[in-house]
Amino acid sequence: MPDQIAAAPPADAPAPAAASTSRAGRNLPAALAVGLGLGLSLIAILLFVPKVFIGVVGVAVGVATWEVAKRLREADVLVPRIPLLVGGQAVFWLGWPWGARGVVGAFAATALVCMVWRLFDHGLSQAPKNFLRDTSITIFTLSWIPLLASFSTLLLLEPDGNLRVLTFMILVVCSDVGGYVAGVLFGRHPMVPAISPKKSWEGFCGSLVFSVIGGLLTVTLLLDANSMIGVVLGVGLVLVATLGDLIESQIKRELGIKDMGTLLPGHGGIMDRLDSMLPSAFVSWLVLSALL
């Protein structure tokens, strides 16, 4: 979520290397093209072949898990990649036939397998080093990506699930766009400069306004429901989407990297696009399941 704090450069500052680079340090035309292409593709899938969406997200979850595991191992955090990747897919996919029970069962089984795998990955005659740290981070990664992503499947399986998923995705985009526009135009007061220096309170307010308006329109027009549900959903998604972005920012800060990957031009890796989507999927499932 690219909230910005507008700041005038010093008079003797060198000119930007390329006009196409945004204040966030991104290739803006590439970012817009990739974002628009992905957005239109997902809308078409959700409207015409909604079950295909599960496969698309499953692939994204696998790639994002690989990106994070690779970055962690580069930092000498030895997460067990094979059970994390295989088990993560089980956590995500088993929500389709068995709902929440499948997700919880696969999560518990994968957590146990990862613990045992890390315990004996150096053989039976050598005790593992940093076992507690590595297994804790492994379970965190399993929760952060496959578990949270599984709620998009659960949301899709609800009545009018494709429209519910489309609603939450539109609201996350509204939050991103509102935060970016308000941050660039009005951003003066840093929100949490120790974690994300470019994120501003003005940008957060822009996210809130755009997301609430988006919630009112989508819940009313797409879901034919009480508009106040849209307000609740809009506020909730701004909060968790912002926190999701801050969580990934802090992780990247600790790992000393800018992006989790390089797969998407102008965006970074798959995980860099999922950071706000993942917690939003859970909150959308929770709010819409409870209020619709």
Side-chain angles (χ1 to χ4, degrees):
M1 294 178 59
D3 296 1
Q4 299 290 319
I5 297 177
D12 58 348
S20 61
T21 302
S22 72
R23 296 185 188 182
R26 302 287 186 188
N27 184 327
L28 193 55
L32 290 174
V34 170
L36 184 62
L38 288 174
L40 292 176
S41 300
L42 290 174
I43 290 172
I45 288 171
L46 285 169
L47 292 179
F48 300 110
V49 281
K51 290 298 191 294
V52 173
F53 178 79
I54 299 176
V56 172
V57 178
V59 171
V61 166
V63 174
T65 304
W66 173 262
E67 288 175 345
V68 173
K70 181 175 182 292
R71 290 299 199 178
L72 289 170
R73 291 182 74 90
E74 289 172 356
D76 203 31
V77 179
L78 301 182
V79 295
R81 285 181 291 189
I82 294 176
L84 181 60
L85 287 165
V86 175
Q89 288 296 295
V91 170
F92 177 78
W93 281 97
L94 291 184
W96 188 357
W98 292 302
R101 288 180 297 175
V103 171
V104 172
F107 177 83
T110 302
L112 289 173
V113 170
C114 287
M115 292 177 196
V116 174
W117 188 290
R118 183 67 184 88
L119 185 65
F120 297 117
D121 63 355
H122 285 79
L124 300 178
S125 60
Q126 184 177 356
K129 295 181 180 179
N130 299 315
F131 173 78
L132 181 59
R133 181 200 66 178
D134 293 351
T135 52
S136 298
I137 294 176
T138 300
I139 305 306
F140 168 81
T141 304
L142 185 66
S143 304
W144 186 28
I145 307 174
L147 180 60
L148 288 178
S150 68
F151 287 97
S152 65
T153 298
L154 300 181
L155 188 61
L156 185 68
L157 298 177
E158 296 282 341
D160 294 323
N162 61 331
L163 298 181
R164 295 187 184 204
V165 172
L166 185 57
T167 294
F168 110 74
M169 292 179 61
I170 289 173
L171 293 194
V172 174
V173 171
C174 285
S175 177
D176 281 351
V177 172
Y180 182 84
V181 171
V184 167
L185 294 178
F186 310 111
R188 295 293 184 273
H189 301 88
M191 180 183 288
V192 277
I195 297 176
S196 183
K198 294 180 179 178
K199 194 172 291 297
S200 68
W201 284 110
E202 290 83 359
F204 178 79
C205 291
S207 292
L208 199 59
V209 171
F210 274 55
S211 191
V212 168
I213 293 174
L216 285 168
L217 294 175
T218 53
V219 169
T220 302
L221 300 177
L222 291 182
L223 303 181
D224 193 25
N226 190 315
S227 60
M228 288 301 100
I229 297 175
V231 175
V232 173
L233 187 61
V235 172
L237 290 196
V238 168
L239 292 174
V240 296
T242 301
L243 291 172
D245 184 64
L246 290 174
I247 288 169
E248 197 204 18
S249 294
Q250 179 59 28
I251 292 171
K252 291 190 291 188
R253 180 177 291 272
E254 292 191 18
L255 294 177
I257 59 176
K258 181 183 178 187
D259 295 316
M260 285 293 182
T262 58
L263 189 61
L264 300 176
H267 291 272
I270 294 291
M271 190 59 215
D272 298 299
R273 285 293 81 207
L274 294 181
D275 55 356
S276 55
M277 288 283 186
L278 291 170
S280 297
F282 164 67
V283 171
S284 298
W285 172 83
L286 186 65
V287 171
L288 295 178
S289 299
L291 299 182
L292 288 185

